Amino acid sequence: MATSAAKLTPILFISLLLFLSQTFTIVFSIGVNYGTLANNLPPPTQVASFLKTKTTIDSVKIFDTNPDMLRAFANTGISVTVTVGNGDIPSLSQLQNSRNWVNANIAPFHPQTRINRIVVGNEIMATADKNLIGKLVPAMRSIHQALKLAGINDIQVTTPHSLGILSSSDPPSSGRFRRGYDRVIFAPMLQFLRETKSPFMVNPYPYFGYSPRDNNYALFKRNRGKHDQVTGKTYFNMFDAQLDAVYTAMSKLGYGDVDIVIGETGWPSIGDPNQPYVNMENAISFNWNLIRHVGSGVGTPLMPKRKFETYIFSLFNENLKPGPTVEKNWGLFHPDLTPVYEVGLMRGRHVRHAPGQGSSPTTPTPALPAGKQWCVPTQTATDAQLQANINYVCSQGTVDCKPIQAGGACFNPDSLKAHAVYAMNAYYQKSGRHAFNCDFSKTGVITSADPSHDTCKM
């Protein structure tokens, strides 16, 4: 694993600023995985109405083709991804069986229900079942052909993968598919996806790569970053590194042009006593930052200026899921449709809590008066901390860092502190002017003294 310095070299930092010089518009809509392993969930019609009227969630992924769920989403405008059961894959490699399946599970509901994608199985490569693995791509092709024969031309066919498909992923430049599967399975699969203009679906979970040493890196919090010496790219979050490792593996087979969709990712809010990193604060931090990052258009170091269709896991806490406590507590919402915590997905409501803060997520934190407060560094903030704050702000995609490039309105005075004032304040103003938006790990302070100067207006 490559180590990284406390702050970027001037060349790397200027490159980062040039890359982030465009101001991106954040898209707050997001997809969710709608699992039903619970005995206390509301009926699908109520769920569909809630998502349409009360949230900005515009797509769901379900783990079967439940007709009640498909009917519930009819005429809502919400896109639905459906799943072929693992056990059905061998039979669906035969065209007639696929035609029967499409006629029974898709044709009666589409297009009233906006079924946008069929995923064939769930993380099949992880099952190590040679029969399922061998039949996977034939089943994908067969289902696609069956859709065409049924006159359905607007539904994609793909399959989701865990990151276990990679034999190496750290640093991202080392990403490659497992030997034996790379040419036999993934090359023909990616060829099919390219031909049909369908995405490669992956389930990146920084949660599963967590270590205390990489806490901030996993949670999109301010950190030093990790430098990939092969590509010269610096990563400030594990999510981007995981995606770029997948992209690298695809590129090594010649399929870097195939789109990538995030089928699952998230962070649980309650765990067992031996999991101190599983808590409400970390769930908020990860999902808050994830939503803004994937929708910002900033992309990743190897895939700049790309937005990633993303499905958070999961819509509900599911009390019948087997396994430890953590398995039951991935949800964004309780069964009564109240948020487990808020990350900005509710219509007409301001986010009440920011990532990494300790206050109760149910206690409103009022915004301070606009135009009367600014965020500046504390007097005790070190150069390393100031640089880290700049790096963090300029890697999020929410702030235009062009003014602190050479020739920009806020470049002079050319000092680390002056540039940090601009970056920290811009982030504070863009994020809603809450006190927690100026925390910066205790290196920011709110002031009523306007730090604007000359041509630099804040």
Side-chain angles (χ1 to χ4, degrees):
M1 180 183 298
T3 57
S4 55
K7 60 182 180 179
L8 294 173
T9 65
I11 293 175
L12 283 174
F13 181 57
I14 291 171
S15 297
L16 174 66
L17 290 181
L18 288 171
F19 168 65
L20 292 168
S21 61
Q22 179 179 347
T23 300
F24 298 107
T25 301
I26 295 178
V27 176
F28 286 97
S29 61
I30 201 80
V32 291
N33 285 271
Y34 179 6
T36 56
L37 292 177
N39 59 10
N40 55 0
L41 299 184
T45 51
Q46 187 177 353
V47 174
S49 176
F50 167 73
L51 294 179
K52 177 179 174 62
T53 62
K54 302 297 184 182
T55 80
T56 59
I57 294 167
D58 61 2
S59 51
V60 297
K61 178 168 160 277
I62 64 176
F63 293 93
D64 50 25
T65 55
N66 184 315
D68 291 334
M69 296 175 75
L70 292 178
R71 279 189 288 266
F73 284 97
N75 304 310
T76 61
I78 294 173
S79 298
V80 181
T81 293
V82 301
T83 302
V84 172
N86 289 4
D88 293 332
I89 290 173
S91 68
L92 292 180
S93 64
Q94 302 298 316
L95 179 58
Q96 187 56 53
N97 292 335
S98 285
R99 295 189 71 178
N100 293 339
W101 186 89
V102 167
N103 288 335
N105 296 285
I106 304 298
F109 308 102
H110 183 78
Q112 292 81 7
T113 299
R114 290 182 56 186
I115 301 173
N116 68 328
R117 189 173 297 122
I118 298 169
V119 294
V120 182
N122 187 41
E123 298 185 351
I124 293 301
M125 307 306 293
T127 68
D129 185 317
K130 292 185 178 180
N131 185 42
L132 292 182
I133 293 171
K135 298 292 186 181
L136 179 57
V137 176
M140 293 167 67
R141 286 192 173 276
S142 178
I143 292 170
H144 174 74
Q145 188 175 355
L147 289 169
K148 293 290 187 182
L149 291 172
I152 300 172
N153 299 304
D154 57 351
I155 296 180
Q156 298 175 331
V157 179
T158 188
T159 185
H161 305 281
S162 74
L163 291 194
I165 59 175
L166 301 180
S167 60
S168 178
S169 61
D170 189 16
S173 60
S174 71
R176 64 176 303 129
F177 293 118
R178 291 189 177 279
R179 294 187 184 277
Y181 289 139
D182 50 358
R183 298 289 177 181
V184 176
I185 302 296
F186 287 107
M189 180 185 296
L190 288 163
Q191 179 62 32
F192 164 77
L193 297 175
R194 175 188 281 167
E195 291 171 0
T196 60
K197 296 181 173 56
S198 298
F200 190 70
M201 182 176 283
V202 292
N203 299 340
Y205 277 98
Y207 167 79
F208 292 117
Y210 178 87
S211 71
R213 178 186 60 186
D214 289 334
N215 182 78
N216 287 6
Y217 186 63
L219 294 168
F220 293 93
K221 292 183 177 180
R222 185 172 62 87
N223 64 90
R224 293 180 177 182
K226 295 189 176 185
H227 187 63
D228 188 329
Q229 294 181 349
V230 173
T231 62
K233 305 295 184 182
T234 299
Y235 290 83
F236 293 98
N237 65 79
M238 190 183 296
F239 181 82
D240 280 357
Q242 291 179 339
L243 283 186
D244 275 358
V246 173
Y247 171 78
T248 299
M250 295 166 63
S251 298
K252 286 176 179 177
L253 291 180
Y255 293 95
D257 58 306
V258 174
D259 197 13
I260 295 175
V261 163
I262 313 304
E264 293 181 24
T265 191
W267 201 281
S269 59
I270 301 175
D272 290 311
N274 65 340
Q275 297 176 299
Y277 55 95
V278 179
N279 53 57
M280 192 77 71
E281 179 179 322
N282 285 353
I284 294 168
S285 179
F286 181 83
N287 284 321
W288 163 287
N289 287 305
L290 168 79
I291 291 167
R292 282 142 189 83
H293 185 60
V294 297
S296 69
V298 69
T300 70
L302 294 183
M303 296 180 283
K305 299 183 181 180
R306 283 176 63 170
K307 294 180 181 179
F308 296 96
E309 182 182 344
T310 300
Y311 293 80
I312 293 179
F313 191 87
S314 60
L315 181 56
F316 292 114
N317 286 332
E318 298 174 71
N319 65 359
L320 296 184
K321 288 195 72 174
T325 302
V326 68
E327 289 300 318
K328 301 171 173 55
N329 290 281
W330 288 81
L332 296 172
F333 296 94
H334 295 291
D336 65 359
L337 300 177
T338 59
V340 175
Y341 50 85
E342 291 191 45
V343 285
L345 295 176
M346 301 297 292
R347 293 186 184 275
R349 293 169 70 175
H350 295 292
V351 178
R352 296 178 177 180
H353 192 58
Q357 305 301 316
S359 59
S360 167
T362 59
T363 303
T365 306
L368 295 168
K372 297 182 181 297
Q373 305 283 348
W374 295 265
C375 177
V376 297
T378 62
Q379 292 297 320
T380 58
T382 66
D383 284 354
Q385 289 171 325
L386 294 177
Q387 183 70 68
N389 290 348
I390 295 170
N391 295 347
Y392 173 76
V393 168
C394 293
S395 69
Q396 296 302 298
T398 59
V399 169
D400 179 11
C401 287
K402 190 174 182 179
I404 52 177
Q405 294 178 45
C410 296
F411 179 73
N412 291 316
D414 182 13
S415 71
L416 199 58
K417 184 172 183 179
H419 291 175
V421 169
Y422 169 83
M424 293 167 66
N425 181 66
Y427 180 83
Y428 168 71
Q429 304 293 341
K430 284 274 190 179
S431 300
R433 297 181 297 275
H434 299 90
F436 51 67
N437 299 132
C438 186
D439 183 78
F440 289 98
S441 297
K442 311 305 179 187
T443 64
V445 62
I446 294 173
T447 178
S448 58
D450 187 352
S452 299
H453 56 89
D454 301 322
T455 61
C456 182
K457 305 302 179 185
M458 302 190 204

